[in-house]
Amino acid sequence: MKYDYLVVGSGLYGAVFAREMTDAGKKVLVIDKRPNIAGNIYTEDIEGIHVHKYGAHIFHTNNKTVWDYVNRFAVFNRFTNSPVANYKGELFSLPFNMYTFNRMWGVVTPQEAEAKIEEQKKAAGITNPRNLEEQAISLVGTDIYEKLIKGYTEKQWGRPCTELPAFIIKRLPVRLTFDNNYFNALYQGIPIGGYTQMVANMLDGIEVRLGIDYLENKEELDKLADKVIYTGPIDAYFDYKLGPLQYRSVRFETEVLDISNFQGNAAVNYTDRETPWTRIIEHKWFEFGKDAQGNDLPKTVISREYSSEWKPGDEPYYPVNDAQNGALYLEYKKLGDAEKNVVFGGRLGEYKYYDMDAVIASALERAGEQR
Ligand code: UDP
């Protein structure tokens, strides 16, 4: 055997794992079926702008170990995520905060906002929220649910809010302050130079082979290493033999515009049901519209994001963590646990709606167990 580890997938999980095992003195080979590294955090330079090719990624964490870890591979800027919600031309601040409540109801004080939410919650009669709809109403009331959550969520997930798990909406903070920071995180930012450069730094000195499909060449590739770290979809690994897990896919329509400012913000969410896209990302604002020398960029690049149900041939992005898929995943996990020389990791390998920091924490933990 030439390698101790074959890492399948050069996304964040694979790159962190490969770095850790290499630093522990192991011989590691990383492969990826795409022609580039970095998985879904891949950024591509278009007109001097780091375009988030597979969807916007904003690094945020409360985990000091993870923050220190990523700072070894990139310098982070001070970007703070403050998306704007566009509901039929009315603009609201996100996450839900005093600016949102003021725009929605004209309330001025936290007490007035709280009373309004309480009143709507009471009228809806929800005591023990059982799904996303009930959870949302009990957090922010019916008006905000109807205008800012329902349409967006049903587009994003392709399912009624009554059939979605409550935890998805708990990702969004509700604040009785004027804080527009989308995340409750101590540390936040975008890697200067782009995510691809950050992952390249993680993989520095490690052998990487691109354009190789593991599942198509499994038998041969397995011979190369003692252990496999597999970060692709777990159901694909087992050739969908228990049936496919459901994922949401995303399609991006990216345009270069000959203007310097399209929407004045990195993310604008279209929260009505009728607009076919969920959000528009204007990539330059992740880096304040400046190039590396601090000059204003003359053009802009925008991506409209369309959500769809995953089908074979599409890129899987979001696991659909409802009860049915959860149960099927557990069956696949049993099969996975029986594969003694394979570690399944990351959003697709563990069928989990992981954020980047949690992926890193998980890869660090699994790598630690291997030593
Ligand atoms: N969400 C919403 N309205 C918004 C933004 C988010 O209702 O304007 C809900 C939606 O259900 C979404 C969830 O909150 O799936 C989590 O949003 P987040 O921005 O964390 O999703 P991601 O950035 O991972 O796609």
Side-chain angles (χ1 to χ4, degrees):
M1 298 255 176
K2 201 167 166 235
Y3 301 95
D4 298 302
Y5 290 94
L6 171 68
V7 174
V8 180
S10 62
L12 202 47
Y13 190 99
V16 169
F17 198 97
R19 177 79 269 144
E20 288 306 287
M21 297 327 295
T22 303
D23 290 351
K26 305 290 185 195
K27 191 122 179 66
V28 180
L29 171 65
V30 178
I31 60 169
D32 202 296
K33 68 176 173 184
R34 288 188 186 156
N36 53 264
I37 58 163
N40 281 3
I41 61 172
Y42 176 67
T43 45
E44 184 180 69
D45 192 321
I46 302 178
E47 299 289 343
I49 298 164
H50 296 115
V51 173
H52 297 220
K53 267 309 257 282
Y54 298 93
H57 285 80
I58 299 130
F59 197 90
H60 59 280
T61 189
N62 278 311
N63 184 328
K64 176 83 163 61
T65 308
V66 168
W67 182 241
D68 290 343
Y69 190 79
V70 289
N71 276 274
R72 281 172 49 195
F73 306 102
V75 175
F76 281 74
N77 72 17
R78 58 152 190 86
F79 180 80
T80 298
N81 192 26
S82 306
V84 169
N86 181 328
Y87 178 78
K88 302 185 178 182
E90 276 183 86
L91 302 184
F92 295 90
S93 287
L94 292 175
F96 312 122
N97 67 61
M98 286 303 297
Y99 289 112
T100 328
F101 306 138
N102 173 262
R103 182 86 169 88
M104 188 68 72
W105 299 313
V107 294
V108 171
T109 66
Q111 290 71 24
E112 285 166 5
E114 205 171 10
K116 197 81 192 166
I117 293 172
E118 228 12 77
E119 173 197 315
Q120 299 205 343
K121 192 175 151 179
K122 217 166 161 195
I126 299 158
T127 43
N128 182 23
R130 287 162 309 170
N131 54 50
L132 196 151
E133 174 171 295
E134 295 184 359
Q135 181 68 66
I137 294 171
S138 69
L139 283 173
V140 286
T142 35
D143 288 340
I144 288 180
Y145 171 67
E146 294 291 340
K147 285 190 171 179
L148 305 184
I149 298 176
K150 191 170 192 286
Y152 186 93
T153 301
E154 296 193 353
K155 285 192 286 187
Q156 159 87 8
W157 295 96
R159 286 157 177 75
C161 290
T162 46
E163 286 173 23
L164 285 164
F167 84 88
I168 292 176
I169 202 68
K170 288 196 209 146
R171 289 170 60 85
L172 267 73
V174 178
R175 299 205 187 99
L176 295 171
T177 63
F178 291 90
D179 181 359
N180 276 333
N181 183 352
Y182 198 62
F183 300 117
N184 282 322
L186 277 175
Y187 313 104
Q188 181 171 184
I190 299 281
I192 295 170
Y195 283 98
T196 307
Q197 187 55 54
M198 179 181 89
V199 174
N201 293 341
M202 287 176 171
L203 293 171
D204 187 33
I206 300 172
E207 189 179 344
V208 179
R209 294 188 204 162
L210 298 172
I212 296 183
D213 188 321
Y214 172 71
L215 295 176
E216 304 242 302
N217 306 282
K218 187 170 182 308
E219 216 171 303
E220 247 170 87
L221 290 164
D222 282 345
K223 288 185 195 140
L224 296 177
D226 290 330
K227 281 205 161 189
V228 172
I229 311 305
Y230 176 82
T231 70
I234 188 166
D235 55 343
Y237 181 93
F238 292 106
D239 202 20
Y240 307 102
K241 70 176 172 192
L242 306 176
L245 289 162
Q246 291 178 302
Y247 300 88
R248 293 297 286 173
S249 191
V250 186
R251 182 171 61 83
F252 300 96
E253 262 174 22
T254 297
E255 274 182 79
V256 179
L257 303 178
D258 229 346
I259 54 172
S260 64
N261 189 358
F262 172 74
Q263 63 184 18
N265 204 34
V268 176
N269 294 358
Y270 286 75
T271 57
D272 66 301
R273 188 70 190 80
E274 293 73 32
T275 304
W277 53 85
T278 49
R279 54 189 166 195
I280 301 181
I281 301 298
E282 188 171 8
H283 302 267
K284 73 190 311 187
W285 302 122
F286 289 124
E287 296 175 79
F288 316 110
K290 309 272 186 198
D291 67 13
Q293 286 70 46
N295 302 311
D296 287 336
L297 291 157
K299 293 190 183 179
T300 195
V301 181
I302 61 163
S303 299
R304 286 189 174 77
E305 212 170 302
Y306 299 85
S307 183
S308 63
E309 196 67 14
W310 176 87
K311 52 182 188 340
D314 294 345
E315 294 288 349
Y317 283 84
Y318 297 89
V320 180
N321 289 119
D322 61 10
Q324 194 189 331
N325 285 292
L328 182 56
Y329 167 67
L330 287 180
E331 294 306 309
Y332 275 116
K333 187 173 183 306
K334 276 185 209 155
L335 296 179
D337 291 343
E339 299 273 295
K340 287 297 166 221
N341 295 323
V342 185
V343 171
F344 292 83
R347 211 185 244 219
L348 302 175
E350 296 175 64
Y351 197 65
K352 196 167 166 188
Y353 192 178
Y354 267 135
D355 285 333
M356 287 183 282
D357 63 331
V359 160
I360 293 171
S362 155
L364 289 175
E365 199 182 323
R366 293 310 286 272
E369 289 164 11
Q370 297 288 317
R371 291 189 192 183

